[in-house]
Amino acid sequence: MRLDKFLCDALGVTRKEATMLLKSGDIKVNGSVLKKGAVHVTDECTVQWDERELVLSGPRYIMLNKPQGFVCTHVDDYNDTAFVLLEEANMKDLHFAGRLDADTTGLVLITDDGQWSHRVTSPKHKCEKTYRVWLADPVQTDYEQQFADGIELRNERDKTLPAKLEVVDETQVLLTIHEGKYHQVKRMFAALGNKVVGLHRERVGAIILDDDLEPGDYRFLTEDEVNSVWR
Ligand code: URA
């Protein structure tokens, strides 16, 4: 890898800033000052900035408790992106492993590991997602069965995969689905003549939203949480 790219990744600076750092003479590779960004560095090289050793961090896996009003994209003309809630280097490398609507709250996973996010989002792997749903009208007695049988959504050829509905109270349920179709939960209830008035994701696979995270807070996943998606 080029030395300037290494500095960008290790310090979260731009290529221009990395060039300036190099020009300042504060960057050493294997004990010698180097000023040229085009020099190649390998895993065996020791890169120092002002005597501090620089290392490339490994892949990042983050859980965010998304508040209302934030979208899960890098840019949006109307809403803030949920990325503004993170204070991390190299934000451009991060992406959402599955999206929530702007008005949906709760668990969002963010990573720079494409294989990992593919595992979470690919329909083939049928990763479970549990949502707490608040409804405009009372839950009907046949809902549980209807969700288990699959629901016909507008403009979709196939029924939804069997989903598990647990009734919490007259207008609140927990719904577990294995797919991630566009606006899926809202459309499922709309198909039954009801309306979702609040939606909060609590779980993705074995990863459960941490109770300690206030809306807008985030933390890095534990090793066990990261590995859980491969099981
Ligand atoms: N289903 C929806 O309708 N919206 C979401 O944000 C997530 C699932």
Side-chain angles (χ1 to χ4, degrees):
M1 172 191 285
R2 284 173 58 118
L3 178 56
D4 50 6
K5 169 85 170 96
F6 178 95
L7 294 175
C8 293
D9 291 354
L11 293 167
V13 296
T14 61
R15 187 65 69 98
K16 200 169 157 194
E17 288 164 338
T19 305
M20 280 161 59
L21 265 179
L22 284 161
K23 277 198 180 142
S24 72
D26 291 338
I27 302 296
K28 284 184 186 165
V29 177
N30 295 338
S32 307
V33 171
L34 286 191
K35 296 195 172 185
K36 287 202 165 51
V39 169
H40 276 262
V41 287
T42 64
D43 290 350
E44 279 75 51
C45 294
T46 305
V47 182
Q48 287 170 291
W49 172 36
D50 263 349
E51 310 306 325
R52 185 181 126 209
E53 185 169 342
L54 301 179
V55 284
L56 290 179
S57 56
R60 290 172 288 177
Y61 306 93
I62 291 169
M63 77 157 66
L64 165 74
N65 184 359
K66 188 182 93 61
Q68 276 205 351
F70 292 84
V71 290
C72 296
T73 53
H74 265 283
V75 276
D76 189 85
D77 289 342
Y78 305 103
N79 299 284
D80 275 328
T81 123
F83 279 126
V84 302
L85 301 165
L86 306 186
E87 285 178 18
E88 294 300 318
N90 299 329
M91 297 286 289
K92 65 174 184 354
D93 295 341
L94 294 169
H95 61 268
F96 295 97
R99 296 177 179 184
L100 291 180
D101 298 335
D103 57 354
T104 302
T105 58
L107 178 60
V108 171
L109 299 173
I110 298 166
T111 183
D112 49 12
D113 180 344
Q115 280 191 333
W116 189 84
S117 58
H118 181 257
R119 184 78 189 194
V120 173
T121 55
S122 144
K124 198 174 110 197
H125 296 297
K126 299 193 173 70
C127 179
E128 284 191 346
K129 291 135 200 137
T130 299
Y131 294 86
R132 190 170 292 272
V133 190
W134 290 269
L135 296 163
D137 297 314
V139 179
Q140 302 297 304
T141 46
D142 63 345
Y143 275 14
E144 210 176 314
Q145 194 57 51
Q146 295 234 43
F147 277 93
D149 291 345
I151 290 175
E152 271 176 41
L153 300 181
R154 271 185 69 178
N155 304 324
E156 298 274 348
R157 202 189 48 184
D158 299 325
K159 279 184 169 185
T160 55
L161 293 177
K164 187 170 171 224
L165 184 96
E166 295 159 79
V167 178
V168 178
D169 66 28
E170 212 191 4
T171 54
Q172 191 189 145
V173 298
L174 285 172
L175 179 66
T176 300
I177 60 176
H178 306 83
E179 309 160 277
K181 293 183 199 290
Y182 183 63
H183 294 327
Q184 178 158 346
V185 176
K186 292 173 187 164
R187 289 164 71 209
M188 286 170 107
F189 282 99
L192 301 183
N194 210 325
K195 186 171 167 21
V196 172
V197 293
L199 189 55
H200 180 78
R201 186 155 68 188
E202 298 193 342
R203 182 171 71 90
V204 173
I207 304 170
I208 297 170
L209 181 62
D210 196 324
D211 278 346
D212 292 340
L213 291 179
E214 296 291 332
D217 286 351
Y218 69 96
R219 71 156 168 82
F220 285 87
L221 298 188
T222 63
E223 207 179 322
D224 202 39
E225 287 169 333
V226 172
N227 293 335
S228 69
V229 312
W230 301 110
R231 277 176 215 135

